[in-house]
């Protein structure tokens, strides 16, 4: 995998919205946070556009993405928020040219589709991390969430252990491989497409938001029957953002599904639709252990 160059204070970065227009006030609050990190922020020209014509909106979103990737003055690209529609954008991207212009690409939720597509077809490390409008506005952001951006300024590996959140072991063991994955709904939607996640020899990250236990069971079964778990080396389950009663039902689903798994499975990482929301690079080497429960991840930048 190609790694983008680490960010430095004074670098120029772009904010784009491939999955839908953000709340303007929230986006501007998030932009100020990026500026406080020492970054110069350029907002894509179509970030706030809302079109009734879906094809025209897709074209505008692709224009913003291409402009950001192909502008040599831009060092990183941050997504504004999630939503829907990233899957429509994926076939329209120029992956060969993106590979020639490697830079930080950061987001999650619906952006999972693009994180995996760019990683798969451009060979570029991408970043599953908090977004500018939905996570950095004053109502949502936490100090821990903000701290995760520092991984872009350093070549140091990341360590996630029980000091970040209470980690629950579902299946014991040790696994090593490149880190892939993201939002479970988007990963399931990508099955059978050119953008299907390839988890062979990998540590697989799964997170979602507000899905009931029966849907989690359906998605895990779908991923399993599609062969996604065939050569997985470990599974990291992020925050699923459900009420306590539903969480108990989901825990039983996870226990039943991964019983006897020949790879480690650890859940309750604060990765995904939660605060704090810790970032992780995708495509780099990672090691998942259960004694103690810990995820060690190689830096996503060089």
């Amino acid at each position: 995998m190609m790694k983008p160059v680490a960010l430095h204070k004074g670098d120029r970065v772009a904010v784009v919205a491939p999955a839908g227009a953000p709340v303007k006030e929230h986006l501007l609050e998030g932009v100020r946070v990026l500026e406080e990190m020492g970054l110069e922020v350029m907002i894509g020209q179509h970030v706030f556009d809302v079109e009734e014509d879906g094809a025209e909106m897709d074209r505008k979103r692709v224009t913003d993405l291409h402009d950001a990737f192909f502008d040599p003055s831009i060092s990183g690209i941050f997504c504004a928020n999630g939503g829907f529609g990233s899957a429509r954008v994926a076939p329209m991207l120029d992956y060969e040219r993106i590979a020639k212009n490697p830079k930080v690409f950061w987001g999650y939720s619906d952006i999972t589709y693009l994180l995996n597509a760019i990683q798969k077809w451009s060979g570029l490390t991408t970043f599953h991390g908090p977004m500018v409008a939905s996570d950095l506005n004053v109502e949502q952001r936490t100090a821990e969430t903000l701290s995760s951006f520092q991984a872009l300024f350093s070549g140091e590996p990341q360590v996630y252990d029980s000091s970040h959140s209470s980690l629950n072991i579902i299946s014991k063991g040790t696994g090593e491989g490149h880190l892939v994955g993201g939002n479970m709904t988007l990963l399931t939607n990508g099955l059978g497409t050119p953008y299907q996640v390839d988890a062979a020899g990998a540590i697989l990250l799964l997170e979602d938001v507000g899905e009931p236990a029966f849907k989690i069971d359906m998605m895990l079964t779908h991923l399993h029957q599609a062969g996604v778990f065939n050569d997985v080396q470990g599974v990291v389950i992020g925050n699923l953002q459900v009420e306590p009663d539903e969480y108990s039902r989901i825990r039983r689903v996870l226990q039943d599904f991964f019983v006897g798994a020949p790879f480690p499975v650890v859940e309750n990482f604060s990765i995904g639709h939660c605060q704090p929301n810790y970032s992780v690079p995708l495509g780099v080497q990672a090691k998942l252990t259960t004694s103690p429960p810990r995820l060690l991840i190689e830096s996503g930048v060089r």
Side-chain angles (χ1 to χ4, degrees):
M1 299 295 294
M2 287 185 296
K3 293 182 181 182
V5 175
L7 296 182
H8 300 85
K9 288 188 176 182
D11 280 352
R12 193 164 181 251
V13 299
V15 174
V16 296
V23 176
K24 187 171 185 178
E25 179 186 357
H26 287 174
L27 184 78
L28 296 179
E29 288 174 359
V31 166
R32 284 193 290 272
V33 171
L34 293 180
E35 290 173 339
E36 288 168 3
M37 295 178 190
L39 300 171
E40 179 187 341
V41 183
M42 183 274 290
I43 298 175
Q45 62 174 322
H46 301 297
V47 162
F48 299 113
D49 287 5
V50 179
E51 296 284 346
E52 292 185 6
D53 185 330
E56 177 64 12
M57 194 65 249
D58 292 344
R59 185 193 67 77
K60 289 183 174 183
R61 292 173 179 178
V62 170
T63 295
D64 277 2
L65 279 165
H66 280 168
D67 286 351
F69 266 111
F70 307 151
D71 183 342
S73 74
I74 299 293
S75 299
I77 303 166
F78 295 94
C79 293
N81 47 231
F84 67 94
S86 293
R88 296 199 309 268
V89 170
M92 302 168 69
L93 295 183
D94 186 340
Y95 294 102
E96 183 176 352
R97 195 171 173 194
I98 288 172
K100 295 176 181 177
N101 295 271
K103 56 191 65 176
V104 168
F105 181 69
W106 177 290
Y108 74 105
S109 194
D110 195 67
I111 307 300
T112 291
Y113 214 93
L114 298 181
L115 296 177
N116 283 280
I118 290 170
Q119 182 190 141
K120 187 170 185 177
W121 291 103
S122 298
L124 176 64
T125 295
T126 55
F127 297 83
H128 187 285
M131 292 185 284
V132 182
S134 55
D135 294 276
L136 298 187
N137 67 78
V138 69
E139 297 174 8
Q140 295 291 329
R141 64 178 182 259
T142 67
E144 293 87 353
T145 293
L146 295 181
S147 71
S148 70
F149 283 82
Q150 293 309 306
L152 296 178
F153 294 84
S154 167
E156 296 298 316
Q158 295 175 234
V159 178
Y160 195 124
D161 57 25
S162 294
S163 67
H164 296 81
S165 63
S166 179
L167 300 177
N168 303 314
I169 300 167
I170 295 175
S171 177
K172 295 181 180 179
T174 298
E176 295 187 58
H178 58 292
L179 186 63
V180 300
N183 183 267
M184 201 183 318
T185 296
L186 272 296
L187 296 177
T188 305
N189 290 347
L191 295 175
T193 74
Y195 314 102
Q196 176 171 328
V197 64
D198 182 2
I203 304 295
L204 177 62
L205 165 66
L206 300 173
E207 68 84 32
D208 220 304
V209 54
E211 297 291 1
F214 80 90
K215 284 194 175 181
I216 298 294
D217 181 78
M218 288 172 59
M219 288 188 284
L220 288 173
T221 300
H222 194 172
L223 291 166
H224 170 68
Q225 293 179 354
V228 171
F229 292 105
N230 284 0
D231 193 29
V232 161
Q233 300 301 300
V235 174
V236 170
I237 300 174
N239 196 298
L240 300 175
Q241 278 295 289
V242 293
E243 295 299 320
D245 286 349
E246 195 63 38
Y247 178 60
S248 296
R249 288 187 279 271
I250 289 174
R251 285 293 308 279
R252 289 196 293 273
V253 167
L254 296 175
Q255 294 283 356
D256 290 345
F257 185 84
F258 289 111
V259 63
F263 47 80
V265 181
V266 182
E267 64 109 5
N268 202 39
F269 287 84
S270 287
I271 298 170
H273 296 74
C274 55
Q275 287 293 337
N277 177 6
Y278 291 100
S279 68
V280 292
L282 300 177
V284 301
Q285 288 299 111
K287 182 177 182 179
L288 179 65
T289 63
T290 56
S291 184
R294 182 176 65 177
L295 179 64
L296 175 63
I297 316 169
E298 181 184 313
S299 174
V301 295
R302 56 184 169 88

